[in-house]
Amino acid sequence: MPNLFEITRSPGEILARRTYVFDRLIMASPYISSDAITSISTADVQLMFELYDEIFFDHRIKQAFPGQMKFSLSRRLTKSAAKTFYTRATGGIMAAEKTIEIRMGVDFFIKYDEIETTKAVCGITTTCPLEAFLLVFEHELCHALEFIHFESSNCRGRRFKMIAKKIFGHTESYHELPTPREIAQAKYGLNIGDQVTFKYIGKRVEGILYNINKRATVIVRDRNGAFTDCQGNRYVKYYVPLDSLE
Ligand SMILES: [Zn+2]
């Protein structure tokens, strides 16, 4: 198996290669045409993988992994910006049937500019959505590399941090991109526990802001509600678009 970890590059070399991936991606992708991300397809993630394998690894990831690499997109990731899944070759699964799936969140990048904050990813300050997208993908690639070589991966572990630093210059294992909760706080002044009202089938309904993901979860007192608090009060849950709350 080719060793994927023997590479050590200076910060300048890493940046030059990342910039090259960035430019080639914009040139080759039918959807990504600038540093902003407005629409994206799984083919773009596949393309990004091909570019990273070529530019950072001289095609050695494909040589090292006999299984199948899969790529997907999700609009449901609201804390992690991406996830990597691995199917081990156990219980009769052949090496060629192993799979690694990198699932990239979408909303973090589409909503990148919604609020003004420092948007570091893996300890590196980013300046545009596409750069953040590449850095998140690099983090997931490190998970893939660990899976390929060691059958397990953990980005809180020392080994992971060493790999991510050596290959991509990452100094942290997390992102500081705005979450739906932070965007709701900054843009709409909404906080969990707030008393809110909204319109439901023409009626004004009053409740408590319970959670914020893509939409707000509002709980409204209702004696027929299915949801009970520790004092025995019953509630009904509503999912409300953030801009419909008052
Ligand atoms: Zn991770």
Side-chain angles (χ1 to χ4, degrees):
M1 190 194 282
N3 188 348
L4 297 164
F5 308 127
E6 65 195 11
I7 313 155
T8 305
R9 294 202 176 94
S10 70
E13 283 174 295
I14 293 169
L15 185 61
R17 278 168 204 260
R18 184 178 297 128
T19 308
Y20 189 45
V21 172
F22 186 101
D23 293 340
R24 290 260 312 265
L25 188 61
I26 289 178
M27 269 195 306
S29 164
Y31 292 101
I32 302 169
S33 55
S34 73
D35 57 11
I37 293 178
T38 48
S39 59
I40 189 163
S41 77
T42 50
D44 292 313
V45 190
Q46 170 87 44
L47 176 62
M48 201 158 62
F49 171 74
E50 306 288 345
L51 290 171
Y52 268 101
D53 195 21
E54 175 194 328
I55 294 163
F56 275 84
F57 299 97
D58 302 321
H59 303 285
R60 279 180 292 171
I61 300 181
K62 274 202 205 127
Q63 291 162 23
F65 186 56
Q68 206 196 339
M69 292 290 305
K70 294 182 177 178
F71 306 96
S72 56
L73 294 168
S74 169
R75 297 210 64 174
R76 303 182 101 173
L77 294 173
T78 52
K79 287 199 180 76
S80 317
K83 273 188 174 159
T84 298
F85 305 90
Y86 178 55
T87 319
R88 280 174 192 78
T90 50
I93 296 177
M94 312 287 282
E97 292 171 316
K98 290 180 183 180
T99 59
I100 292 175
E101 179 181 342
I102 297 180
R103 183 172 300 164
M104 297 292 290
V106 175
D107 285 35
F108 278 103
F109 308 101
I110 290 178
K111 297 191 171 163
Y112 181 93
D113 284 316
E114 296 248 324
I115 56 173
E116 292 290 327
T117 53
T118 336
K119 289 149 189 167
V121 178
C122 306
I124 296 169
T125 307
T126 64
T127 55
C128 66
L130 186 54
E131 187 185 12
F133 199 73
L134 293 187
L135 283 159
V136 170
F137 187 74
E138 289 171 10
H139 178 89
E140 300 311 311
L141 264 186
C142 292
H143 278 299
L145 299 184
E146 267 202 319
F147 283 132
I148 291 170
H149 272 268
F150 307 105
E151 299 279 319
S152 68
S153 180
N154 175 6
C155 55
R156 288 184 296 269
R158 267 185 54 201
R159 184 179 68 198
F160 184 100
K161 288 178 181 167
M162 205 186 68
I163 293 167
K165 177 98 205 320
K166 225 164 111 68
I167 301 176
F168 295 117
H170 296 179
T171 54
E172 303 291 353
S173 286
Y174 56 87
H175 71 78
E176 292 169 70
L177 299 172
T179 62
R181 201 171 284 195
E182 286 160 356
I183 293 172
Q185 252 161 14
K187 267 186 88 176
Y188 304 104
L190 293 168
N191 289 293
I192 306 288
D194 282 355
Q195 195 88 32
V196 290
T197 64
F198 60 95
K199 259 193 170 159
Y200 183 75
I201 325 178
K203 273 199 312 191
R204 188 146 293 283
V205 184
E206 198 178 310
I208 295 161
L209 183 55
Y210 181 72
N211 199 4
I212 300 167
N213 279 314
K214 275 184 76 178
R215 286 174 296 169
T217 310
V218 181
I219 52 170
V220 175
R221 280 285 273 275
D222 187 318
R223 59 196 165 85
N224 298 317
F227 183 64
T228 318
D229 70 9
C230 50
Q231 277 127 37
N233 300 313
R234 290 183 162 275
Y235 297 89
V236 172
K237 268 190 203 175
Y238 291 81
Y239 297 100
V240 190
L242 292 171
D243 54 9
S244 308
L245 289 177
E246 281 165 41

